[in-house]
Amino acid sequence: MKESKSKELVEFLERLPEGRRIYLNLGSVMVEVSKDEAIEFLKKQGKEGE
Amino acid sequence: MAVKKDEKRMTDLTRQLRSIIAQIEALRVEIAQLDVLISEYRQTITTLRNLKDLGAGKEVLLPVGRIAQVGAKLEEVDKIVINIGSGISVELPFDEAIQQIEKEIVAALALREALERAMVELYEKVEELSQKIREHGHAEAGEGKKDEGEQK
């Protein structure tokens, strides 16, 4: 379930047009990241969840 | 021996009934949480539309913690940052952001419907089990009277 949600999000990010801002929510701080960094973060999260 | 068997049957039925009632209660809590979520999503859409209508330059108060607020100037509300889950937020154009929230509402409503259906099925099981318990109770009472009569 979590894995398919993560895959869905990766696909969503990949479809996003260039120039859209993406943020990681780290506690109460939001950090701007690139699309690749966000996808990497999701993939890493997916692996940790396995 | 038969009495023990009857007692065990009755205990089993009551245990099953309690377990189903607990499941119904859990579903009820989940549905209530979904209702709160759906209402929050709808409130978000209304707030975003109102902010967009107010337009740039309006003074707003930003909450800082629970009791403090600081003033800020509203910019054009044409881009919204939406939390898409798993710790990621994405900037979307206003209309796309609204669509994204509406999609979340549809998904939450579908889940709510599924949970309600499951709850109806569980209520049917409760009815079935209650009936069995009643029948079992009557049968036991009948046996008891029969035994008393034989003793007299």
Side-chain angles (χ1 to χ4, degrees), chain A:
Chain A
M1 181 77 175
K2 198 179 172 190
E3 202 182 319
S4 69
K5 173 83 182 160
S6 186
K7 207 175 151 200
E8 230 174 78
L9 289 180
V10 169
E11 284 166 9
F12 179 86
L13 288 177
E14 281 169 346
R15 279 199 309 271
L16 269 186
E18 289 307 316
R20 294 278 174 84
R21 287 182 175 160
I22 301 168
Y23 302 88
L24 283 188
N25 307 339
L26 303 173
S28 56
V29 182
M30 288 173 76
V31 185
E32 190 175 348
V33 292
S34 67
K35 190 190 280 193
D36 290 342
E37 282 170 327
I39 291 172
E40 194 53 41
F41 174 81
L42 280 174
K43 285 181 178 166
K44 212 170 125 191
Q45 249 193 354
K47 272 184 198 159
E48 278 169 11
E50 277 171 17

